[in-house]
Amino acid sequence: MSKFIPFTEEEIYVAAHTEIKNILDAKGEKSERSGTEWMWAANHSVKFRGHIFYDHSTGDKGTAIDFLCTFFNMRFQDAVCTLNCKDYNGIEFERSR
């Protein structure tokens, strides 16, 4: 369990605005072009553009932080730390759905 970390607004902003494709690429997850967006190959209902995703099957949507919380079962604190460190290969996280 992670401890409380008092993030600054800038740290949260930077984490939230991380390109989702960069995260997936670093973790070896495939994505495919879908018009002006990208589609996650492991879950074709999930499309993303930049740092924003939308899951057409569930209606879930949000930023890169929400993406890690939703699909990789991360807590907010852990997701912000992971995104701000930018060393996705050095951090273990697995797909939850």
Coordinates of all heavy atoms in Angstrom, one line a residue:
M1 N 0.9 -1.2 0.0 CA 0.0 0.0 0.0 C 0.9 1.2 0.0 O 1.9 1.3 0.7 CB -0.9 0.0 1.2 CG -1.7 1.2 1.2 SD -3.0 1.5 2.5 CE -3.3 0.1 3.4
S2 N 0.5 2.2 -0.8 CA 1.4 3.4 -0.9 C 1.0 4.4 0.2 O -0.1 4.4 0.7 CB 1.2 4.1 -2.2 OG -0.1 4.5 -2.4
K3 N 1.9 5.2 0.6 CA 1.7 6.2 1.6 C 1.2 7.5 0.9 O 1.4 7.7 -0.3 CB 2.9 6.5 2.5 CG 4.1 7.0 1.7 CD 5.3 7.2 2.6 CE 6.4 7.8 1.7 NZ 7.5 8.3 2.4
F4 N 0.7 8.4 1.7 CA 0.2 9.7 1.2 C 1.4 10.5 0.8 O 2.4 10.6 1.5 CB -0.6 10.4 2.2 CG -1.0 11.8 1.8 CD1 -2.1 11.9 0.8 CD2 -0.4 12.9 2.2 CE1 -2.4 13.2 0.4 CE2 -0.7 14.2 1.8 CZ -1.8 14.3 0.8
I5 N 1.3 11.0 -0.4 CA 2.4 11.9 -0.9 C 1.7 13.2 -1.3 O 0.8 13.2 -2.2 CB 3.1 11.3 -2.2 CG1 3.7 9.9 -1.8 CG2 4.1 12.2 -2.7 CD1 4.2 9.1 -3.0
P6 N 2.1 14.3 -0.8 CA 1.5 15.6 -1.1 C 2.0 16.1 -2.5 O 3.1 16.8 -2.5 CB 1.9 16.5 0.0 CG 3.2 15.9 0.5 CD 3.1 14.5 0.3
F7 N 1.4 15.8 -3.6 CA 1.8 16.3 -4.9 C 1.5 17.8 -5.1 O 0.4 18.2 -4.6 CB 1.1 15.5 -6.0 CG 1.5 14.1 -6.0 CD1 0.6 13.1 -5.7 CD2 2.8 13.6 -6.3 CE1 0.9 11.7 -5.7 CE2 3.1 12.3 -6.3 CZ 2.2 11.4 -6.0
T8 N 2.3 18.5 -5.8 CA 2.0 19.8 -6.2 C 1.0 19.8 -7.4 O 0.8 18.7 -8.1 CB 3.2 20.6 -6.7 OG1 3.7 20.0 -7.9 CG2 4.3 20.6 -5.6
E9 N 0.3 20.9 -7.7 CA -0.6 20.9 -8.8 C 0.2 20.7 -10.1 O -0.4 20.0 -11.0 CB -1.3 22.3 -8.9 CG -2.4 22.4 -7.8 CD -3.1 23.7 -8.0 OE1 -3.3 24.2 -9.1 OE2 -3.6 24.3 -6.9
E10 N 1.4 21.2 -10.2 CA 2.2 21.0 -11.4 C 2.5 19.5 -11.6 O 2.5 19.0 -12.7 CB 3.5 21.8 -11.3 CG 4.3 21.6 -12.5 CD 5.6 22.4 -12.5 OE1 5.9 23.1 -11.5 OE2 6.4 22.3 -13.4
E11 N 2.9 18.8 -10.5 CA 3.2 17.3 -10.6 C 2.0 16.5 -11.1 O 2.1 15.7 -11.9 CB 3.7 16.8 -9.3 CG 5.1 17.3 -8.9 CD 5.4 16.9 -7.5 OE1 4.5 17.0 -6.6 OE2 6.6 16.6 -7.2
I12 N 0.8 16.9 -10.6 CA -0.4 16.2 -11.0 C -0.7 16.5 -12.5 O -1.0 15.7 -13.3 CB -1.6 16.5 -10.1 CG1 -1.3 16.0 -8.7 CG2 -2.9 16.0 -10.7 CD1 -2.3 16.5 -7.7
Y13 N -0.5 17.8 -12.9 CA -0.8 18.2 -14.2 C 0.2 17.5 -15.2 O -0.3 17.0 -16.2 CB -0.6 19.7 -14.4 CG -0.8 20.3 -15.8 CD1 -2.0 20.6 -16.2 CD2 0.3 20.3 -16.7 CE1 -2.2 21.1 -17.5 CE2 0.1 20.8 -18.0 CZ -1.2 21.2 -18.4 OH -1.4 21.6 -19.7
V14 N 1.4 17.4 -14.9 CA 2.4 16.8 -15.8 C 2.1 15.3 -15.9 O 2.1 14.7 -17.0 CB 3.9 16.9 -15.2 CG1 4.8 16.0 -15.9 CG2 4.3 18.4 -15.3
A15 N 1.7 14.6 -14.8 CA 1.4 13.2 -14.8 C 0.1 13.0 -15.7 O 0.1 12.1 -16.5 CB 1.2 12.7 -13.4
A16 N -0.9 13.8 -15.5 CA -2.1 13.7 -16.2 C -2.0 13.9 -17.7 O -2.7 13.3 -18.5 CB -3.2 14.6 -15.6
H17 N -1.0 14.7 -18.1 CA -0.8 15.0 -19.5 C 0.3 14.2 -20.2 O 0.8 14.5 -21.2 CB -0.5 16.5 -19.6 CG -1.7 17.3 -19.4 ND1 -2.2 17.6 -18.2 CD2 -2.6 17.9 -20.3 CE1 -3.3 18.3 -18.3 NE2 -3.6 18.5 -19.6
T18 N 0.6 13.0 -19.6 CA 1.5 12.1 -20.2 C 0.8 11.4 -21.4 O -0.4 11.0 -21.3 CB 2.0 11.0 -19.2 OG1 2.6 11.7 -18.1 CG2 2.9 10.0 -19.8
E19 N 1.5 11.3 -22.5 CA 0.9 10.6 -23.7 C 0.7 9.2 -23.4 O 1.6 8.4 -23.0 CB 1.9 10.7 -24.9 CG 2.2 12.2 -25.3 CD 1.2 12.7 -26.4 OE1 0.6 11.8 -27.1 OE2 0.9 13.9 -26.4
I20 N -0.6 8.7 -23.6 CA -0.9 7.3 -23.3 C -0.2 6.4 -24.2 O 0.3 5.3 -23.8 CB -2.4 7.1 -23.3 CG1 -3.1 7.9 -22.2 CG2 -2.8 5.7 -23.3 CD1 -4.6 8.0 -22.2
K21 N 0.0 6.7 -25.4 CA 0.7 5.9 -26.4 C 2.2 5.6 -25.9 O 2.7 4.5 -26.0 CB 0.8 6.5 -27.8 CG 1.5 5.5 -28.8 CD 1.2 5.9 -30.2 CE 1.8 5.0 -31.2 NZ 2.7 4.0 -30.9
N22 N 2.8 6.6 -25.3 CA 4.2 6.4 -24.8 C 4.2 5.4 -23.6 O 5.1 4.6 -23.5 CB 4.7 7.7 -24.3 CG 5.0 8.7 -25.4 OD1 5.0 8.3 -26.6 ND2 5.2 10.0 -25.0
I23 N 3.2 5.4 -22.8 CA 3.1 4.5 -21.7 C 2.9 3.1 -22.3 O 3.6 2.1 -21.9 CB 1.9 4.8 -20.8 CG1 2.0 6.2 -20.2 CG2 1.7 3.7 -19.7 CD1 0.7 6.7 -19.6
L24 N 2.0 2.9 -23.2 CA 1.7 1.6 -23.8 C 2.9 1.0 -24.5 O 3.3 -0.1 -24.4 CB 0.5 1.6 -24.7 CG -0.8 1.9 -23.9 CD1 -2.0 2.0 -25.0 CD2 -1.1 0.8 -22.9
D25 N 3.6 1.9 -25.3 CA 4.8 1.5 -26.0 C 5.9 1.0 -25.1 O 6.5 0.0 -25.3 CB 5.3 2.6 -26.9 CG 4.5 3.0 -28.1 OD1 3.6 2.2 -28.4 OD2 4.7 4.0 -28.7
A26 N 6.1 1.7 -24.0 CA 7.1 1.4 -23.0 C 6.8 0.0 -22.4 O 7.8 -0.7 -22.0 CB 7.3 2.5 -22.0
K27 N 5.6 -0.3 -22.2 CA 5.2 -1.5 -21.5 C 5.0 -2.7 -22.5 O 4.6 -3.8 -22.2 CB 3.9 -1.4 -20.7 CG 4.0 -0.4 -19.6 CD 5.2 -0.8 -18.6 CE 5.0 -2.1 -17.9 NZ 6.1 -2.4 -17.0
G28 N 5.3 -2.4 -23.8 CA 5.2 -3.5 -24.8 C 3.8 -3.8 -25.3 O 3.5 -4.8 -25.9
E29 N 2.9 -2.9 -25.0 CA 1.5 -3.0 -25.4 C 1.4 -2.4 -26.8 O 1.9 -1.4 -27.1 CB 0.6 -2.3 -24.4 CG 0.5 -2.8 -23.0 CD -0.4 -4.0 -22.9 OE1 -1.3 -4.2 -23.7 OE2 -0.1 -4.8 -22.0
K30 N 0.6 -3.0 -27.6 CA 0.4 -2.5 -29.0 C -0.8 -1.6 -29.1 O -1.7 -1.7 -28.4 CB 0.2 -3.7 -30.0 CG 1.5 -4.6 -30.0 CD 1.3 -5.6 -31.1 CE 2.4 -6.6 -31.2 NZ 3.7 -6.2 -31.0
S31 N -0.6 -0.6 -30.0 CA -1.7 0.3 -30.3 C -1.8 0.4 -31.8 O -0.8 0.3 -32.5 CB -1.5 1.6 -29.6 OG -0.3 2.2 -29.9
E32 N -3.0 0.7 -32.3 CA -3.2 0.8 -33.7 C -3.8 2.2 -34.1 O -4.6 2.6 -33.3 CB -4.1 -0.3 -34.2 CG -3.6 -1.7 -33.9 CD -4.7 -2.8 -34.0 OE1 -5.8 -2.5 -34.4 OE2 -4.3 -3.9 -33.7
R33 N -3.5 2.7 -35.2 CA -4.1 4.0 -35.6 C -5.6 3.7 -35.9 O -5.9 2.7 -36.5 CB -3.3 4.4 -36.9 CG -3.5 5.9 -37.2 CD -2.9 6.7 -36.0 NE -2.4 7.9 -36.4 CZ -2.6 9.0 -35.7 NH1 -3.2 9.0 -34.5 NH2 -2.0 10.1 -36.0
S34 N -6.4 4.7 -35.5 CA -7.8 4.6 -35.8 C -8.3 6.0 -36.1 O -8.7 6.8 -35.2 CB -8.6 4.1 -34.6 OG -10.0 4.1 -34.8
G35 N -8.2 6.4 -37.4 CA -8.5 7.8 -37.8 C -7.5 8.8 -37.1 O -6.3 8.6 -37.3
T36 N -8.0 9.7 -36.4 CA -7.2 10.7 -35.7 C -6.8 10.3 -34.3 O -6.1 11.0 -33.6 CB -7.9 12.1 -35.6 OG1 -9.1 11.9 -34.9 CG2 -8.3 12.6 -37.0
E37 N -7.2 9.1 -33.9 CA -7.0 8.6 -32.6 C -6.1 7.3 -32.7 O -5.8 6.8 -33.8 CB -8.3 8.2 -31.9 CG -9.2 9.4 -31.7 CD -10.6 9.0 -31.2 OE1 -11.1 7.9 -31.6 OE2 -11.0 9.7 -30.3
W38 N -5.8 6.7 -31.5 CA -5.2 5.4 -31.4 C -6.2 4.5 -30.7 O -7.0 4.9 -29.9 CB -3.9 5.5 -30.6 CG -2.8 6.3 -31.3 CD1 -2.6 7.6 -31.3 CD2 -1.9 5.7 -32.2 NE1 -1.5 7.9 -32.1 CE2 -1.1 6.8 -32.7 CE3 -1.6 4.4 -32.7 CZ2 0.0 6.6 -33.6 CZ3 -0.6 4.2 -33.6 CH2 0.2 5.3 -34.0
M39 N -6.0 3.2 -31.1 CA -6.9 2.2 -30.4 C -5.9 1.2 -29.7 O -4.9 0.8 -30.3 CB -7.7 1.5 -31.5 CG -8.5 0.3 -31.0 SD -9.6 -0.4 -32.3 CE -8.4 -0.7 -33.6
W40 N -6.2 0.8 -28.5 CA -5.4 -0.1 -27.8 C -5.7 -1.5 -28.3 O -6.8 -2.0 -28.3 CB -5.8 0.0 -26.3 CG -4.9 -0.8 -25.3 CD1 -3.7 -1.4 -25.6 CD2 -5.2 -1.0 -24.0 NE1 -3.2 -1.9 -24.5 CE2 -4.1 -1.7 -23.4 CE3 -6.2 -0.6 -23.1 CZ2 -4.0 -2.1 -22.1 CZ3 -6.1 -0.9 -21.8 CH2 -5.0 -1.7 -21.3
A41 N -4.7 -2.2 -28.8 CA -4.8 -3.5 -29.5 C -5.4 -4.5 -28.5 O -6.1 -5.4 -28.9 CB -3.5 -4.0 -30.1
A42 N -5.1 -4.4 -27.2 CA -5.6 -5.4 -26.2 C -7.0 -5.2 -25.9 O -7.7 -6.1 -25.3 CB -4.7 -5.3 -25.0
N43 N -7.6 -4.0 -26.2 CA -8.9 -3.7 -25.9 C -9.4 -2.7 -26.9 O -9.3 -1.5 -26.7 CB -9.0 -3.1 -24.5 CG -10.4 -2.9 -24.0 OD1 -11.4 -2.8 -24.8 ND2 -10.6 -2.8 -22.7
H44 N -10.0 -3.2 -28.0 CA -10.4 -2.3 -29.1 C -11.5 -1.3 -28.8 O -11.7 -0.4 -29.6 CB -10.9 -3.2 -30.3 CG -9.7 -3.9 -31.0 ND1 -9.9 -4.7 -32.0 CD2 -8.4 -3.8 -30.8 CE1 -8.7 -5.2 -32.4 NE2 -7.8 -4.6 -31.7
S45 N -12.1 -1.4 -27.7 CA -13.1 -0.4 -27.3 C -12.4 0.9 -26.7 O -13.1 1.9 -26.5 CB -14.2 -0.9 -26.4 OG -13.6 -1.2 -25.1
V46 N -11.1 0.8 -26.4 CA -10.4 1.9 -25.8 C -9.7 2.6 -26.8 O -8.8 2.1 -27.5 CB -9.4 1.4 -24.7 CG1 -8.6 2.6 -24.1 CG2 -10.1 0.7 -23.6
K47 N -10.0 3.9 -27.0 CA -9.3 4.8 -27.9 C -8.7 6.0 -27.1 O -9.2 6.3 -26.1 CB -10.3 5.3 -29.0 CG -10.9 4.1 -29.8 CD -11.3 4.5 -31.1 CE -11.7 3.3 -31.9 NZ -12.5 3.6 -33.0
F48 N -7.6 6.5 -27.7 CA -7.0 7.6 -27.0 C -6.3 8.5 -28.0 O -6.0 8.2 -29.1 CB -6.0 7.1 -26.0 CG -5.0 6.1 -26.5 CD1 -3.8 6.5 -27.0 CD2 -5.3 4.8 -26.5 CE1 -2.8 5.7 -27.5 CE2 -4.3 3.9 -27.0 CZ -3.1 4.3 -27.5
R49 N -6.2 9.7 -27.6 CA -5.6 10.8 -28.3 C -4.8 11.6 -27.3 O -5.3 12.2 -26.4 CB -6.6 11.7 -29.1 CG -5.9 12.8 -29.9 CD -6.9 13.7 -30.6 NE -7.9 12.9 -31.3 CZ -9.1 13.4 -31.6 NH1 -9.5 14.6 -31.1 NH2 -9.9 12.7 -32.3
G50 N -3.4 11.6 -27.5 CA -2.6 12.3 -26.5 C -2.7 11.7 -25.1 O -2.4 10.5 -24.9
H51 N -3.2 12.5 -24.2 CA -3.3 12.1 -22.8 C -4.7 11.7 -22.4 O -4.9 11.4 -21.2 CB -2.7 13.2 -21.9 CG -3.6 14.4 -21.8 ND1 -3.6 15.3 -22.8 CD2 -4.5 14.8 -20.9 CE1 -4.4 16.3 -22.5 NE2 -5.0 16.0 -21.4
I52 N -5.6 11.7 -23.3 CA -7.1 11.5 -23.0 C -7.5 10.1 -23.6 O -7.2 9.8 -24.7 CB -8.0 12.6 -23.6 CG1 -7.6 13.9 -23.0 CG2 -9.4 12.3 -23.4 CD1 -7.9 14.1 -21.5
F53 N -8.2 9.3 -22.8 CA -8.7 8.1 -23.3 C -10.3 8.0 -23.1 O -10.8 8.7 -22.3 CB -8.1 6.9 -22.6 CG -8.8 6.5 -21.3 CD1 -9.8 5.6 -21.2 CD2 -8.4 7.1 -20.1 CE1 -10.4 5.3 -20.0 CE2 -9.0 6.9 -18.9 CZ -10.0 5.9 -18.8
Y54 N -10.9 7.1 -23.9 CA -12.3 6.9 -23.8 C -12.5 5.4 -24.1 O -12.0 4.9 -25.1 CB -13.1 7.7 -24.8 CG -14.6 7.5 -24.6 CD1 -15.3 8.1 -23.6 CD2 -15.3 6.7 -25.5 CE1 -16.6 7.9 -23.4 CE2 -16.7 6.5 -25.3 CZ -17.3 7.1 -24.2 OH -18.7 6.9 -24.0
D55 N -13.3 4.7 -23.2 CA -13.6 3.3 -23.4 C -15.1 3.3 -23.9 O -16.0 3.5 -23.1 CB -13.5 2.6 -22.1 CG -13.7 1.1 -22.2 OD1 -14.3 0.6 -23.2 OD2 -13.2 0.3 -21.4
H56 N -15.2 2.9 -25.1 CA -16.6 2.9 -25.7 C -17.5 1.8 -25.1 O -18.7 2.0 -25.3 CB -16.5 2.7 -27.2 CG -15.9 3.9 -27.9 ND1 -16.6 5.0 -28.3 CD2 -14.6 4.3 -28.2 CE1 -15.8 5.9 -28.9 NE2 -14.6 5.5 -28.8
S57 N -16.9 0.8 -24.5 CA -17.8 -0.2 -24.0 C -18.3 0.1 -22.6 O -19.4 -0.4 -22.2 CB -17.1 -1.6 -24.0 OG -16.0 -1.6 -23.0
T58 N -17.6 0.9 -21.8 CA -18.0 1.1 -20.4 C -18.3 2.6 -20.2 O -18.9 2.9 -19.2 CB -16.9 0.8 -19.4 OG1 -15.7 1.6 -19.7 CG2 -16.5 -0.7 -19.6
G59 N -17.8 3.5 -21.1 CA -18.0 4.9 -20.9 C -17.0 5.5 -20.0 O -17.0 6.7 -19.8
D60 N -16.0 4.7 -19.5 CA -14.9 5.3 -18.8 C -14.1 6.2 -19.6 O -13.9 6.0 -20.8 CB -14.0 4.2 -18.2 CG -14.6 3.3 -17.2 OD1 -15.5 3.8 -16.5 OD2 -14.2 2.1 -17.0
K61 N -13.6 7.3 -19.0 CA -12.8 8.3 -19.8 C -11.9 9.0 -18.8 O -12.2 9.0 -17.6 CB -13.7 9.2 -20.5 CG -14.6 10.1 -19.7 CD -15.5 10.9 -20.5 CE -16.5 11.6 -19.6 NZ -17.5 12.4 -20.4
G62 N -10.9 9.7 -19.3 CA -10.1 10.5 -18.4 C -8.7 10.7 -19.0 O -8.4 10.5 -20.1
T63 N -7.8 11.1 -18.1 CA -6.4 11.4 -18.4 C -5.5 10.2 -18.2 O -6.0 9.1 -17.9 CB -5.9 12.5 -17.5 OG1 -5.8 12.0 -16.1 CG2 -6.8 13.7 -17.5
A64 N -4.2 10.4 -18.4 CA -3.3 9.3 -18.2 C -3.3 8.7 -16.8 O -3.2 7.5 -16.6 CB -1.8 9.7 -18.6
I65 N -3.5 9.5 -15.8 CA -3.7 9.0 -14.4 C -4.9 8.1 -14.3 O -4.8 7.0 -13.8 CB -3.8 10.2 -13.4 CG1 -2.6 11.1 -13.4 CG2 -4.1 9.7 -12.0 CD1 -2.7 12.4 -12.6
D66 N -6.0 8.5 -14.9 CA -7.2 7.7 -14.8 C -7.0 6.4 -15.6 O -7.5 5.4 -15.2 CB -8.4 8.5 -15.4 CG -8.6 9.8 -14.7 OD1 -8.7 9.8 -13.5 OD2 -8.8 10.8 -15.4
F67 N -6.2 6.5 -16.7 CA -5.9 5.3 -17.5 C -5.2 4.2 -16.7 O -5.6 3.1 -16.7 CB -5.1 5.7 -18.7 CG -4.8 4.6 -19.7 CD1 -5.8 4.2 -20.6 CD2 -3.6 3.9 -19.7 CE1 -5.6 3.1 -21.5 CE2 -3.4 2.9 -20.6 CZ -4.3 2.5 -21.5
L68 N -4.2 4.6 -15.9 CA -3.5 3.7 -15.1 C -4.3 3.1 -14.0 O -4.3 2.0 -13.6 CB -2.2 4.3 -14.5 CG -1.1 4.5 -15.5 CD1 0.2 5.1 -14.8 CD2 -0.7 3.3 -16.3
C69 N -5.2 4.0 -13.4 CA -6.0 3.6 -12.3 C -7.1 2.6 -12.8 O -7.4 1.6 -12.1 CB -6.7 4.8 -11.6 SG -5.6 5.9 -10.7
T70 N -7.6 2.9 -14.0 CA -8.7 2.1 -14.5 C -8.2 0.7 -15.1 O -8.8 -0.3 -14.8 CB -9.4 2.8 -15.7 OG1 -10.0 4.0 -15.1 CG2 -10.6 2.0 -16.3
F71 N -7.2 0.7 -15.9 CA -6.8 -0.5 -16.6 C -5.6 -1.2 -16.0 O -5.3 -2.3 -16.3 CB -6.5 -0.2 -18.1 CG -7.7 0.3 -18.8 CD1 -7.8 1.7 -19.1 CD2 -8.7 -0.5 -19.1 CE1 -8.9 2.1 -19.8 CE2 -9.8 -0.1 -19.8 CZ -9.9 1.3 -20.1
F72 N -4.9 -0.6 -15.1 CA -3.7 -1.2 -14.4 C -3.9 -1.3 -12.9 O -2.9 -1.5 -12.2 CB -2.4 -0.5 -14.8 CG -2.1 -0.7 -16.3 CD1 -2.6 0.2 -17.3 CD2 -1.4 -1.8 -16.7 CE1 -2.3 0.0 -18.6 CE2 -1.1 -2.0 -18.1 CZ -1.5 -1.1 -19.0
N73 N -5.1 -1.0 -12.4 CA -5.4 -1.2 -11.0 C -4.5 -0.4 -10.1 O -4.1 -1.0 -9.1 CB -5.4 -2.7 -10.7 CG -6.3 -3.0 -9.5 OD1 -7.2 -2.2 -9.2 ND2 -5.9 -4.0 -8.7
M74 N -4.1 0.8 -10.5 CA -3.2 1.6 -9.7 C -4.0 2.5 -8.8 O -5.1 3.0 -9.2 CB -2.3 2.4 -10.5 CG -1.1 1.6 -11.1 SD 0.1 2.7 -11.8 CE 1.4 1.6 -12.0
R75 N -3.5 2.9 -7.7 CA -4.0 3.9 -6.8 C -3.5 5.3 -7.4 O -2.5 5.3 -8.1 CB -3.6 3.8 -5.4 CG -4.2 2.5 -4.7 CD -3.5 2.2 -3.4 NE -3.0 3.4 -2.8 CZ -3.5 3.9 -1.6 NH1 -4.4 3.3 -0.9 NH2 -3.0 5.0 -1.1
F76 N -4.2 6.3 -7.1 CA -3.9 7.7 -7.6 C -2.4 8.0 -7.3 O -1.7 8.4 -8.2 CB -4.8 8.7 -7.0 CG -4.5 10.1 -7.5 CD1 -5.0 10.6 -8.6 CD2 -3.7 10.9 -6.6 CE1 -4.7 11.9 -9.0 CE2 -3.4 12.2 -7.0 CZ -3.9 12.7 -8.2
Q77 N -2.0 7.8 -6.1 CA -0.7 8.1 -5.6 C 0.4 7.4 -6.5 O 1.4 7.9 -6.9 CB -0.5 7.7 -4.2 CG -1.4 8.4 -3.2 CD -0.9 9.9 -2.9 OE1 0.3 10.1 -2.9 NE2 -1.9 10.8 -2.8
D78 N 0.2 6.1 -6.7 CA 1.1 5.2 -7.5 C 1.1 5.6 -8.9 O 2.2 5.7 -9.6 CB 0.7 3.8 -7.3 CG 0.8 3.3 -5.9 OD1 1.7 3.8 -5.1 OD2 0.0 2.4 -5.5
A79 N 0.0 6.0 -9.5 CA -0.1 6.4 -10.9 C 0.7 7.7 -11.1 O 1.4 7.8 -12.1 CB -1.6 6.5 -11.3
V80 N 0.5 8.7 -10.2 CA 1.2 9.9 -10.4 C 2.7 9.7 -10.3 O 3.5 10.2 -11.1 CB 0.7 11.0 -9.4 CG1 1.6 12.2 -9.4 CG2 -0.7 11.3 -9.7
C81 N 3.1 8.9 -9.3 CA 4.6 8.6 -9.2 C 5.1 7.9 -10.4 O 6.2 8.3 -10.9 CB 4.8 7.8 -7.9 SG 4.7 8.6 -6.4
T82 N 4.4 6.9 -10.9 CA 4.8 6.2 -12.1 C 5.0 7.1 -13.3 O 6.0 7.1 -14.0 CB 3.8 5.1 -12.4 OG1 3.8 4.2 -11.3 CG2 4.2 4.4 -13.7
L83 N 4.0 8.0 -13.5 CA 4.0 8.8 -14.7 C 5.1 9.9 -14.6 O 5.7 10.3 -15.6 CB 2.6 9.5 -14.9 CG 1.5 8.5 -15.2 CD1 0.1 9.1 -15.1 CD2 1.8 7.9 -16.6
N84 N 5.3 10.4 -13.4 CA 6.3 11.5 -13.2 C 7.7 10.9 -13.3 O 8.6 11.7 -13.7 CB 6.1 12.3 -11.9 CG 4.9 13.3 -12.1 OD1 4.6 13.6 -13.2 ND2 4.3 13.7 -11.0
C85 N 7.9 9.7 -12.9 CA 9.3 9.1 -13.0 C 9.7 8.8 -14.4 O 10.8 8.8 -14.8 CB 9.4 8.0 -12.1 SG 9.4 6.4 -12.9
K86 N 8.7 8.5 -15.3 CA 8.9 8.3 -16.7 C 9.8 7.0 -17.0 O 10.2 6.9 -18.1 CB 9.4 9.5 -17.5 CG 8.5 10.6 -17.5 CD 9.0 11.7 -18.4 CE 8.1 12.9 -18.5 NZ 6.9 13.1 -17.7
D87 N 10.0 6.2 -16.1 CA 10.7 5.0 -16.3 C 9.8 3.8 -16.2 O 9.8 3.0 -15.3 CB 11.8 4.8 -15.2 CG 12.6 3.5 -15.4 OD1 12.6 3.0 -16.5 OD2 13.3 3.1 -14.4
Y88 N 8.9 3.7 -17.2 CA 7.8 2.7 -17.2 C 8.3 1.3 -17.2 O 7.7 0.4 -16.7 CB 6.8 2.9 -18.3 CG 6.4 4.4 -18.5 CD1 6.7 5.1 -19.6 CD2 5.8 5.0 -17.5 CE1 6.3 6.4 -19.8 CE2 5.4 6.4 -17.6 CZ 5.7 7.0 -18.7 OH 5.3 8.4 -18.9
N89 N 9.5 1.1 -17.8 CA 10.0 -0.3 -17.8 C 10.5 -0.7 -16.5 O 10.6 -1.9 -16.2 CB 11.1 -0.4 -18.9 CG 10.6 -0.3 -20.3 OD1 9.5 -0.8 -20.6 ND2 11.3 0.4 -21.1
G90 N 11.0 0.2 -15.6 CA 11.5 -0.1 -14.3 C 10.4 -0.3 -13.3 O 10.7 -0.8 -12.2
I91 N 9.2 -0.1 -13.6 CA 8.1 -0.2 -12.6 C 7.2 -1.3 -13.0 O 6.7 -1.4 -14.2 CB 7.3 1.2 -12.5 CG1 8.3 2.2 -12.0 CG2 6.1 1.0 -11.6 CD1 7.7 3.6 -12.0
E92 N 6.9 -2.2 -12.1 CA 6.0 -3.3 -12.4 C 4.6 -2.9 -12.3 O 4.1 -2.4 -11.2 CB 6.3 -4.5 -11.4 CG 7.6 -5.1 -11.7 CD 7.8 -5.8 -13.0 OE1 6.8 -6.4 -13.5 OE2 8.8 -5.6 -13.6
F93 N 3.8 -3.0 -13.3 CA 2.4 -2.9 -13.3 C 1.8 -3.7 -14.4 O 2.3 -3.9 -15.4 CB 1.9 -1.4 -13.3 CG 2.3 -0.6 -14.5 CD1 1.4 -0.4 -15.6 CD2 3.5 0.1 -14.5 CE1 1.7 0.4 -16.6 CE2 3.8 0.9 -15.6 CZ 2.9 1.1 -16.6
E94 N 0.7 -4.4 -14.0 CA 0.1 -5.3 -15.0 C -1.4 -4.9 -15.2 O -2.0 -4.3 -14.4 CB 0.1 -6.8 -14.4 CG 1.5 -7.3 -14.2 CD 1.5 -8.7 -13.8 OE1 0.5 -9.4 -13.9 OE2 2.6 -9.1 -13.3
R95 N -1.8 -5.3 -16.4 CA -3.2 -5.0 -16.9 C -4.2 -5.7 -16.0 O -4.1 -6.8 -15.6 CB -3.3 -5.5 -18.3 CG -4.3 -4.7 -19.1 CD -4.4 -5.0 -20.5 NE -3.2 -5.6 -21.1 CZ -3.2 -6.6 -21.9 NH1 -4.3 -7.2 -22.3 NH2 -2.1 -7.1 -22.5
S96 N -5.2 -4.9 -15.5 CA -6.2 -5.5 -14.7 C -7.5 -5.9 -15.4 O -8.3 -6.6 -14.9 CB -6.6 -4.5 -13.5 OG -7.1 -3.3 -14.1
R97 N -7.7 -5.3 -16.6 CA -8.8 -5.8 -17.5 C -8.5 -5.5 -18.9 O -7.6 -4.9 -19.3 CB -10.1 -5.2 -17.0 CG -10.1 -3.6 -17.0 CD -11.5 -3.2 -16.7 NE -11.6 -1.8 -16.7 CZ -12.6 -1.1 -17.0 NH1 -13.7 -1.7 -17.3 NH2 -12.6 0.2 -17.0

